[in-house]
Amino acid sequence: MRESFRGDLARLGEQLAEMCGMAAHSMRQASRALLTADLQLAEEVLAADALLDRARQSCEEHAQSLLALQAPVARDLRMILAAVYSAEKIERMGDLAAHIADTARFTHPEHVVPAEFEQVFTELGEIAAAMADRVGEFTLGGAGSGFVELNETDQAVDALHAQVMSSITGTGWAHGVRSATSLALIARFYERFADQAVSVAKRLDFAETGRTPTGEV
Amino acid sequence: MRESFRGDLARLGEQLAEMCGMAAHSMRQASRALLTADLQLAEEVLAADALLDRARQSCEEHAQSLLALQAPVARDLRMILAAVYSAEKIERMGDLAAHIADTARFTHPEHVVPAEFEQVFTELGEIAAAMADRVGEFTLGGAGSGFVELNETDQAVDALHAQVMSSITGTGWAHGVRSATSLALIARFYERFADQAVSVAKRLDFAETGRTPTGEV
């Protein structure tokens, strides 16, 4: 029975890792759709969001059945609660990628991102997607402290976000109000995506050790 | 033992209700700080956020101890998981109120909200705070379906949010780019606050009935 329970817990980690892979994929596609004004790609991201919602539902049902049938305590209980928490956060990462895609769709055939901002949004997309992939590795266990690593990466995202905001609200902005508000909201979607990744890593660390790692998300 | 467990579950609902009261209070104060450019009030909201974080921690520890000690199943298990989920969402509501207060602080002594938008942001603040209060009532149980009611109220928030966004991006905007991006982000904080309230109500309904109520959040 305990062996089978170990297997169930491992399967829960795999479900989360799959969700992370889906969120990373959506973020990459959403970023590409945004930067190339690709309507079809944007619509693919929006359609894929329902799959991530279902994966979250399935993960949560699995966790709930383990709670009901195995009555776990201590670290096992923390791991299962962390899975429920993480599934919700990863689903939210998918929502944020979908918001980016939706902006691309709404603005199509115009480009949302002015040429001189393509580089910074490309970077934001790559870093954010890589963070989702990295969290997926941590959900499988045994990869050390995800929080410390992801919290560091998150600071790069925060710096890029601050750079965008400062350009928008600075005196040299030449793209009008509509473009400024779109970019401000989109930059926030990237930043929030990264925040969710950090909070999943933080929660997994807590589940592993029973201690909340210090540091802000 | 079962009687005592009923008492524990009721106490968990009370903890959530207290958190909702704190989130509602923060939202009212943050809105007032925003609309009157009141620096001291903004700082009070920011300071109070740590109390809500602690209340969430306490609620979650209580839920975790009930899971470990009582090994609940079915509706009881759903209620405890809903409490963990809700505590996180209500903490997030506090974060969003704090973001509004932070914008007021950052912009002080200037007013963020132009005079002709005071009415719409006053309404957003009142409705959002009332939603938090209403969710608090539902956490105590026996108040019918919170989701249907709050989802309806949320549509009023969405309409006000859309009205703000359409004014900002319309041709008549006369307050510059910095003001537009601030208002777009703040309007989103109100809208997200309301979304969290709806998602708590939805989760409480699910815990009560075992069926997910239909409708988008």
Side-chain angles (χ1 to χ4, degrees):
Chain A
M1 186 56 141
R2 296 310 287 177
E3 270 313 299
S4 135
F5 180 50
R6 290 288 128 221
D8 285 331
L9 279 184
R11 175 71 199 121
L12 205 53
E14 286 163 18
Q15 285 180 284
L16 291 175
E18 284 161 20
M19 288 183 69
C20 287
M22 293 161 79
H25 183 64
S26 284
M27 174 47 91
R28 285 194 178 93
Q29 288 199 306
S31 255
R32 196 145 59 85
L34 179 76
L35 289 160
T36 61
D38 185 331
L39 181 61
Q40 193 187 328
L41 198 56
E43 282 173 348
E44 280 176 35
V45 176
L46 291 162
D49 194 42
L51 300 179
L52 197 49
D53 293 352
R54 275 208 289 279
R56 178 259 177 103
Q57 179 79 16
S58 160
C59 186
E60 195 166 318
E61 282 165 6
H62 186 194
Q64 193 170 327
S65 79
L66 291 181
L67 288 173
L69 298 174
Q70 304 282 354
V73 296
R75 180 180 169 283
D76 291 343
L77 175 55
R78 289 197 307 271
M79 290 306 279
I80 294 172
L81 288 177
V84 173
Y85 178 92
S86 301
E88 204 271 330
K89 296 287 170 192
I90 303 164
E91 186 198 342
R92 181 83 200 129
M93 290 161 77
D95 291 342
L96 290 159
H99 288 344
I100 293 169
D102 205 28
T103 309
R105 180 175 67 166
F106 185 76
T107 314
H108 184 271
E110 282 175 50
H111 282 242
V112 183
V113 178
E116 72 266 35
F117 286 87
E118 281 175 13
Q119 179 59 34
V120 65
F121 279 96
T122 301
E123 272 186 67
L124 278 167
E126 281 170 4
I127 298 175
M131 286 174 84
D133 279 332
R134 197 69 184 120
V135 171
E137 290 166 20
F138 290 117
T139 64
L140 300 174
S145 169
F147 173 68
V148 171
E149 180 188 320
L150 282 159
N151 201 37
E152 271 184 27
T153 314
D154 190 45
Q155 288 167 23
V157 173
D158 288 348
L160 292 170
H161 174 255
Q163 181 186 324
V164 171
M165 291 307 292
S166 138
S167 301
I168 290 171
T169 56
T171 49
W173 181 256
H175 303 283
V177 169
R178 184 189 288 243
S179 171
T181 53
S182 291
L183 285 200
L185 289 168
I186 289 171
R188 183 163 173 84
F189 298 149
Y190 283 99
E191 188 226 351
R192 290 295 301 154
F193 185 101
D195 283 348
Q196 312 294 329
V198 178
S199 70
V200 170
K202 186 173 188 175
R203 189 60 178 235
L204 292 171
D205 272 15
F206 166 74
E208 187 66 49
T209 63
R211 290 184 307 276
T212 304
T214 52
E216 281 307 308
V217 175
Chain B
M1 187 56 141
R2 295 310 286 176
E3 269 313 301
S4 137
F5 181 50
R6 289 289 128 221
D8 286 331
L9 279 185
R11 175 73 199 120
L12 205 52
E14 286 163 15
Q15 285 180 284
L16 291 176
E18 284 160 20
M19 289 184 69
C20 288
M22 293 161 81
H25 183 64
S26 284
M27 174 47 92
R28 285 195 178 92
Q29 288 200 306
S31 254
R32 197 145 59 86
L34 180 77
L35 289 160
T36 61
D38 184 331
L39 181 61
Q40 193 187 327
L41 197 56
E43 283 173 348
E44 280 176 34
V45 175
L46 291 163
D49 195 40
L51 301 179
L52 197 50
D53 293 352
R54 275 209 289 281
R56 177 259 177 103
Q57 179 78 16
S58 160
C59 185
E60 195 166 318
E61 283 165 6
H62 185 194
Q64 193 169 327
S65 79
L66 291 181
L67 288 173
L69 298 174
Q70 304 282 353
V73 295
R75 180 181 170 282
D76 292 342
L77 174 55
R78 289 197 307 271
M79 289 306 279
I80 294 172
L81 289 177
V84 173
Y85 178 91
S86 301
E88 204 271 330
K89 296 287 171 193
I90 303 164
E91 186 198 340
R92 182 81 199 131
M93 290 162 77
D95 291 342
L96 290 160
H99 289 343
I100 293 169
D102 205 28
T103 310
R105 180 175 66 166
F106 184 76
T107 313
H108 183 270
E110 281 176 52
H111 283 243
V112 183
V113 179
E116 71 266 35
F117 286 86
E118 282 175 12
Q119 178 59 33
V120 66
F121 279 96
T122 300
E123 271 185 67
L124 277 168
E126 281 170 4
I127 298 175
M131 287 173 84
D133 279 333
R134 196 71 183 117
V135 171
E137 291 166 19
F138 290 118
T139 64
L140 300 173
S145 168
F147 173 67
V148 171
E149 180 187 322
L150 282 158
N151 201 37
E152 271 184 26
T153 314
D154 189 44
Q155 287 168 24
V157 172
D158 288 347
L160 292 170
H161 174 255
Q163 181 187 323
V164 171
M165 291 306 292
S166 137
S167 301
I168 292 171
T169 57
T171 49
W173 181 257
H175 303 283
V177 169
R178 183 189 288 245
S179 170
T181 53
S182 291
L183 286 201
L185 288 168
I186 290 171
R188 183 163 173 85
F189 298 149
Y190 283 99
E191 188 225 352
R192 289 296 301 155
F193 185 102
D195 283 348
Q196 311 295 329
V198 179
S199 70
V200 171
K202 186 174 187 174
R203 189 58 179 237
L204 292 170
D205 272 15
F206 166 75
E208 186 67 47
T209 63
R211 290 185 307 277
T212 304
T214 51
E216 281 308 308
V217 175

PDB file of all heavy atoms in Angstrom, chain A residues 64-80:
ATOM      1  N   GLN A  64      -7.311  15.102  -4.236  1.00  0.00           N
ATOM      2  CA  GLN A  64      -8.421  14.942  -3.290  1.00  0.00           C
ATOM      3  C   GLN A  64      -8.672  13.466  -2.977  1.00  0.00           C
ATOM      4  O   GLN A  64      -8.941  13.111  -1.822  1.00  0.00           O
ATOM      5  CB  GLN A  64      -9.676  15.610  -3.870  1.00  0.00           C
ATOM      6  CG  GLN A  64     -10.772  15.773  -2.822  1.00  0.00           C
ATOM      7  CD  GLN A  64     -11.927  16.656  -3.313  1.00  0.00           C
ATOM      8  OE1 GLN A  64     -11.715  17.592  -4.084  1.00  0.00           O
ATOM      9  NE2 GLN A  64     -13.132  16.352  -2.868  1.00  0.00           N
ATOM     10  N   SER A  65      -8.552  12.613  -3.982  1.00  0.00           N
ATOM     11  CA  SER A  65      -8.774  11.192  -3.713  1.00  0.00           C
ATOM     12  C   SER A  65      -7.653  10.627  -2.834  1.00  0.00           C
ATOM     13  O   SER A  65      -7.902   9.769  -1.977  1.00  0.00           O
ATOM     14  CB  SER A  65      -8.917  10.395  -5.018  1.00  0.00           C
ATOM     15  OG  SER A  65      -7.659  10.163  -5.579  1.00  0.00           O
ATOM     16  N   LEU A  66      -6.443  11.133  -3.009  1.00  0.00           N
ATOM     17  CA  LEU A  66      -5.351  10.682  -2.131  1.00  0.00           C
ATOM     18  C   LEU A  66      -5.592  11.127  -0.685  1.00  0.00           C
ATOM     19  O   LEU A  66      -5.341  10.365   0.264  1.00  0.00           O
ATOM     20  CB  LEU A  66      -4.005  11.231  -2.616  1.00  0.00           C
ATOM     21  CG  LEU A  66      -3.480  10.650  -3.925  1.00  0.00           C
ATOM     22  CD1 LEU A  66      -2.125  11.263  -4.275  1.00  0.00           C
ATOM     23  CD2 LEU A  66      -3.353   9.133  -3.833  1.00  0.00           C
ATOM     24  N   LEU A  67      -6.097  12.341  -0.515  1.00  0.00           N
ATOM     25  CA  LEU A  67      -6.402  12.819   0.839  1.00  0.00           C
ATOM     26  C   LEU A  67      -7.474  11.949   1.482  1.00  0.00           C
ATOM     27  O   LEU A  67      -7.380  11.572   2.658  1.00  0.00           O
ATOM     28  CB  LEU A  67      -6.882  14.275   0.800  1.00  0.00           C
ATOM     29  CG  LEU A  67      -5.829  15.344   0.491  1.00  0.00           C
ATOM     30  CD1 LEU A  67      -6.492  16.707   0.314  1.00  0.00           C
ATOM     31  CD2 LEU A  67      -4.770  15.413   1.588  1.00  0.00           C
ATOM     32  N   ALA A  68      -8.505  11.619   0.702  1.00  0.00           N
ATOM     33  CA  ALA A  68      -9.630  10.853   1.257  1.00  0.00           C
ATOM     34  C   ALA A  68      -9.235   9.407   1.539  1.00  0.00           C
ATOM     35  O   ALA A  68      -9.629   8.830   2.556  1.00  0.00           O
ATOM     36  CB  ALA A  68     -10.815  10.903   0.287  1.00  0.00           C
ATOM     37  N   LEU A  69      -8.453   8.814   0.652  1.00  0.00           N
ATOM     38  CA  LEU A  69      -8.181   7.372   0.761  1.00  0.00           C
ATOM     39  C   LEU A  69      -6.963   7.069   1.623  1.00  0.00           C
ATOM     40  O   LEU A  69      -6.890   6.013   2.252  1.00  0.00           O
ATOM     41  CB  LEU A  69      -7.976   6.758  -0.636  1.00  0.00           C
ATOM     42  CG  LEU A  69      -9.192   6.859  -1.570  1.00  0.00           C
ATOM     43  CD1 LEU A  69      -8.837   6.366  -2.961  1.00  0.00           C
ATOM     44  CD2 LEU A  69     -10.365   6.057  -0.997  1.00  0.00           C
ATOM     45  N   GLN A  70      -5.983   7.967   1.647  1.00  0.00           N
ATOM     46  CA  GLN A  70      -4.722   7.652   2.325  1.00  0.00           C
ATOM     47  C   GLN A  70      -4.545   8.385   3.651  1.00  0.00           C
ATOM     48  O   GLN A  70      -3.636   8.049   4.415  1.00  0.00           O
ATOM     49  CB  GLN A  70      -3.534   8.005   1.406  1.00  0.00           C
ATOM     50  CG  GLN A  70      -3.577   7.329   0.045  1.00  0.00           C
ATOM     51  CD  GLN A  70      -3.143   5.860   0.114  1.00  0.00           C
ATOM     52  OE1 GLN A  70      -2.705   5.376   1.156  1.00  0.00           O
ATOM     53  NE2 GLN A  70      -3.299   5.152  -0.989  1.00  0.00           N
ATOM     54  N   ALA A  71      -5.376   9.402   3.890  1.00  0.00           N
ATOM     55  CA  ALA A  71      -5.261  10.193   5.123  1.00  0.00           C
ATOM     56  C   ALA A  71      -3.789  10.480   5.463  1.00  0.00           C
ATOM     57  O   ALA A  71      -3.316  10.148   6.547  1.00  0.00           O
ATOM     58  CB  ALA A  71      -5.956   9.476   6.281  1.00  0.00           C
ATOM     59  N   PRO A  72      -3.082  11.128   4.541  1.00  0.00           N
ATOM     60  CA  PRO A  72      -1.645  11.370   4.750  1.00  0.00           C
ATOM     61  C   PRO A  72      -1.399  12.407   5.852  1.00  0.00           C
ATOM     62  O   PRO A  72      -2.291  13.207   6.155  1.00  0.00           O
ATOM     63  CB  PRO A  72      -1.194  11.944   3.406  1.00  0.00           C
ATOM     64  CG  PRO A  72      -2.417  12.606   2.868  1.00  0.00           C
ATOM     65  CD  PRO A  72      -3.577  11.765   3.317  1.00  0.00           C
ATOM     66  N   VAL A  73      -0.213  12.372   6.421  1.00  0.00           N
ATOM     67  CA  VAL A  73       0.185  13.385   7.418  1.00  0.00           C
ATOM     68  C   VAL A  73       1.573  13.928   7.049  1.00  0.00           C
ATOM     69  O   VAL A  73       2.232  13.427   6.141  1.00  0.00           O
ATOM     70  CB  VAL A  73       0.225  12.796   8.861  1.00  0.00           C
ATOM     71  CG1 VAL A  73      -1.170  12.349   9.292  1.00  0.00           C
ATOM     72  CG2 VAL A  73       1.212  11.649   8.946  1.00  0.00           C
ATOM     73  N   ALA A  74       1.988  14.942   7.805  1.00  0.00           N
ATOM     74  CA  ALA A  74       3.341  15.518   7.697  1.00  0.00           C
ATOM     75  C   ALA A  74       3.735  15.830   6.249  1.00  0.00           C
ATOM     76  O   ALA A  74       2.971  16.445   5.524  1.00  0.00           O
ATOM     77  CB  ALA A  74       4.358  14.597   8.376  1.00  0.00           C
ATOM     78  N   ARG A  75       4.913  15.385   5.821  1.00  0.00           N
ATOM     79  CA  ARG A  75       5.424  15.765   4.507  1.00  0.00           C
ATOM     80  C   ARG A  75       4.478  15.324   3.380  1.00  0.00           C
ATOM     81  O   ARG A  75       4.262  16.076   2.414  1.00  0.00           O
ATOM     82  CB  ARG A  75       6.813  15.156   4.298  1.00  0.00           C
ATOM     83  CG  ARG A  75       7.430  15.506   2.938  1.00  0.00           C
ATOM     84  CD  ARG A  75       8.813  14.890   2.761  1.00  0.00           C
ATOM     85  NE  ARG A  75       9.269  15.023   1.383  1.00  0.00           N
ATOM     86  CZ  ARG A  75       8.857  14.268   0.361  1.00  0.00           C
ATOM     87  NH1 ARG A  75       7.968  13.311   0.558  1.00  0.00           N
ATOM     88  NH2 ARG A  75       9.334  14.469  -0.860  1.00  0.00           N
ATOM     89  N   ASP A  76       3.911  14.127   3.488  1.00  0.00           N
ATOM     90  CA  ASP A  76       3.002  13.657   2.436  1.00  0.00           C
ATOM     91  C   ASP A  76       1.795  14.585   2.302  1.00  0.00           C
ATOM     92  O   ASP A  76       1.381  14.926   1.188  1.00  0.00           O
ATOM     93  CB  ASP A  76       2.517  12.231   2.746  1.00  0.00           C
ATOM     94  CG  ASP A  76       3.645  11.216   2.613  1.00  0.00           C
ATOM     95  OD1 ASP A  76       4.674  11.538   1.982  1.00  0.00           O
ATOM     96  OD2 ASP A  76       3.502  10.105   3.164  1.00  0.00           O
ATOM     97  N   LEU A  77       1.253  14.988   3.444  1.00  0.00           N
ATOM     98  CA  LEU A  77       0.113  15.906   3.427  1.00  0.00           C
ATOM     99  C   LEU A  77       0.518  17.247   2.810  1.00  0.00           C
ATOM    100  O   LEU A  77      -0.200  17.803   1.967  1.00  0.00           O
ATOM    101  CB  LEU A  77      -0.423  16.111   4.854  1.00  0.00           C
ATOM    102  CG  LEU A  77      -1.539  17.146   5.042  1.00  0.00           C
ATOM    103  CD1 LEU A  77      -2.736  16.856   4.143  1.00  0.00           C
ATOM    104  CD2 LEU A  77      -1.984  17.183   6.518  1.00  0.00           C
ATOM    105  N   ARG A  78       1.688  17.730   3.216  1.00  0.00           N
ATOM    106  CA  ARG A  78       2.156  19.006   2.657  1.00  0.00           C
ATOM    107  C   ARG A  78       2.351  18.912   1.149  1.00  0.00           C
ATOM    108  O   ARG A  78       2.025  19.842   0.403  1.00  0.00           O
ATOM    109  CB  ARG A  78       3.482  19.438   3.308  1.00  0.00           C
ATOM    110  CG  ARG A  78       3.361  19.890   4.760  1.00  0.00           C
ATOM    111  CD  ARG A  78       4.596  20.692   5.184  1.00  0.00           C
ATOM    112  NE  ARG A  78       5.854  19.994   4.939  1.00  0.00           N
ATOM    113  CZ  ARG A  78       6.461  19.176   5.788  1.00  0.00           C
ATOM    114  NH1 ARG A  78       5.920  18.941   6.979  1.00  0.00           N
ATOM    115  NH2 ARG A  78       7.595  18.585   5.470  1.00  0.00           N
ATOM    116  N   MET A  79       2.874  17.765   0.672  1.00  0.00           N
ATOM    117  CA  MET A  79       3.098  17.603  -0.767  1.00  0.00           C
ATOM    118  C   MET A  79       1.777  17.631  -1.539  1.00  0.00           C
ATOM    119  O   MET A  79       1.672  18.221  -2.615  1.00  0.00           O
ATOM    120  CB  MET A  79       3.827  16.285  -1.066  1.00  0.00           C
ATOM    121  CG  MET A  79       5.285  16.238  -0.631  1.00  0.00           C
ATOM    122  SD  MET A  79       6.320  17.590  -1.277  1.00  0.00           S
ATOM    123  CE  MET A  79       6.676  17.002  -2.931  1.00  0.00           C
ATOM    124  N   ILE A  80       0.769  16.978  -0.975  1.00  0.00           N
ATOM    125  CA  ILE A  80      -0.516  16.927  -1.687  1.00  0.00           C
ATOM    126  C   ILE A  80      -1.178  18.308  -1.693  1.00  0.00           C
ATOM    127  O   ILE A  80      -1.698  18.758  -2.720  1.00  0.00           O
ATOM    128  CB  ILE A  80      -1.433  15.854  -1.064  1.00  0.00           C
ATOM    129  CG1 ILE A  80      -0.809  14.477  -1.301  1.00  0.00           C
ATOM    130  CG2 ILE A  80      -2.834  15.926  -1.664  1.00  0.00           C
ATOM    131  CD1 ILE A  80      -1.506  13.351  -0.583  1.00  0.00           C
TER     132      ILE A  80
END
